[in-house]
Amino acid sequence: MSTEVVIFIQQVINGLKIGSVYALVALGYTMVYGIIRLINFAHGDFIMVGSYTMLYSIPLMVALGMPAWMAVILAVAVCGLVGVTVEKVAYKPVRKKGNNMSALITAIAMSLFLENFAQTIFGAAPKPIGTIFSIPDLKFDTIKFNGNTILTITLGITVMILLQLFVQKTKMGKAMRAVSEDGQAAILMGVNKNRIITITFAIGSSLAAIASLMYCASYPQATPTLGAMLGLKAFVAAVLGGIGIIPGAMLGGIVVGLVESLTKAYIGQLTGGVITSAFSDAIVFGILIIVLLVKPSGILGKNLGEKV
């Protein structure tokens, strides 16, 4: 197998790895939007909360003789608690008395609040996170696959499949879909809408904690702004796939991850050095602009006429 093919395959694997992280975060965006039509810009910061939780819980797990990856259990609990608290304290009052614009501004304010609160508590400097898991590399012919990368992709795909089964097959998942389709009709059918919203925030925030585990396994450090860029790219992924549509968030995350990885590897060669890999983020956000211009509803979304 030629060197060029080996490099291409490795870049695709890298794209699937970071794409799995984007997909999990995008799922949080799309679940909340699907239920209450709110773009929760604070969602990216739940990843930061998960990273700081693992920063302190990993040494605790190791001291107790347990595997370091079990720190994700505490991270899931803390992120779920933070997500539900944010919904109850900030979003619920605005949802009752405000409008979509005030809710959007509240979401941005919550994002800034969480980042500045973390900076006040933990400081601005990056803090290294201990090793979460260490899987031996896999070798196939002349290609070497990083074990942690394969585990990250596998974990991401597994979580996405389980979430899809939960939404499609369980009573709670059907209630979530009912609220997403028509909140008032769901209430008339006996669905507790506020309870569904709370559970949606808890699940979405917990997915951010798992995404934090996957991300920190490859980039082991915690910073107050860890979730800012990650969250924005996941938002692009959610819009690309069709925000409010769970399979769309998964697809969008994988596509954004592949575009980012392949752009970093080949954009310099393809443009003769005019555009370098430093533009990879700009290209990802350029995708958002193109999608909004060509198909605002996203790849899997349906264009619906607006009622007047």
Side-chain angles (χ1 to χ4, degrees):
M1 193 176 292
S2 66
T3 305
E4 289 77 12
V5 173
V6 171
I7 293 174
F8 177 77
I9 293 175
Q10 288 179 335
Q11 291 301 329
V12 169
I13 296 296
N14 289 336
L16 291 175
K17 178 186 70 174
I18 192 65
S20 300
V21 177
Y22 291 152
L24 281 189
V25 183
L27 283 170
Y29 277 105
T30 211
M31 288 178 70
V32 170
Y33 182 83
I35 295 293
I36 57 174
R37 297 294 185 268
L38 167 69
I39 298 174
N40 180 19
F41 279 112
H43 186 71
D45 296 292
F46 297 157
I47 304 169
M48 174 269 294
V49 173
S51 68
Y52 277 110
T53 304
M54 287 193 290
L55 172 67
Y56 292 102
S57 57
I58 286 176
L60 176 64
M61 292 295 170
V62 173
L64 294 175
M66 293 187 284
W69 61 264
M70 291 190 71
V72 75
I73 297 174
L74 283 176
V76 166
V78 172
C79 285
L81 180 62
V82 171
V84 171
T85 303
V86 167
E87 199 282 320
K88 295 290 186 187
V89 174
Y91 296 155
K92 188 175 181 179
V94 174
R95 197 166 62 247
K96 287 183 175 179
K97 298 181 179 179
N99 51 34
N100 289 339
M101 182 57 70
S102 57
L104 184 65
I105 293 171
T106 303
I108 295 173
M110 279 309 305
S111 174
L112 295 174
F113 170 79
L114 289 173
E115 289 177 13
N116 284 279
F117 183 75
Q119 184 169 331
T120 303
I121 299 296
F122 305 109
K127 294 185 183 299
I129 296 177
T131 302
I132 299 174
F133 43 70
S134 180
I135 307 297
D137 293 344
L138 303 177
K139 194 170 183 181
F140 179 77
D141 195 12
T142 56
I143 308 175
K144 186 192 295 183
F145 298 105
N146 183 281
N148 288 353
T149 297
I150 300 300
L151 181 61
T152 299
I153 296 172
T154 305
L155 180 61
I157 293 174
T158 302
V159 172
M160 285 185 272
I161 292 174
L162 290 176
L163 179 65
Q164 184 68 0
L165 290 174
F166 173 80
V167 172
Q168 295 295 329
K169 302 295 183 183
T170 66
K171 186 177 179 180
M172 185 62 67
K174 291 175 182 176
M176 292 170 69
R177 284 191 288 144
V179 173
S180 175
E181 189 70 25
D182 190 328
Q184 293 302 318
I187 292 173
L188 293 173
M189 296 300 292
V191 176
N192 188 330
K193 185 178 177 180
N194 286 328
R195 180 166 171 260
I196 295 299
I197 292 172
T198 301
I199 292 173
T200 301
F201 267 86
I203 294 175
S205 306
S206 300
L207 290 175
I210 298 174
S212 177
L213 168 78
M214 295 161 62
Y215 187 80
C216 292
S218 300
Y219 311 98
Q221 65 177 14
T223 64
T225 56
L226 172 68
M229 183 58 73
L230 194 57
L232 285 176
K233 290 182 180 178
F235 172 66
V236 172
V239 175
L240 176 63
I243 193 162
I245 304 171
I246 289 178
M250 300 176 191
L251 176 63
I254 298 298
V255 170
V256 169
L258 287 173
V259 168
E260 182 178 308
S261 178
L262 295 176
T263 298
K264 286 181 178 177
Y266 296 109
I267 193 68
Q269 297 177 25
L270 294 175
T271 62
V274 176
I275 301 176
T276 66
S277 59
F279 286 85
S280 61
D281 289 345
I283 292 173
V284 170
F285 292 115
I287 292 174
L288 174 64
I289 296 173
I290 293 172
V291 169
L292 292 176
L293 289 174
V294 177
K295 197 170 187 300
S297 57
I299 296 173
L300 300 184
K302 296 179 180 177
N303 291 320
L304 299 175
E306 187 175 352
K307 294 178 182 179
V308 295

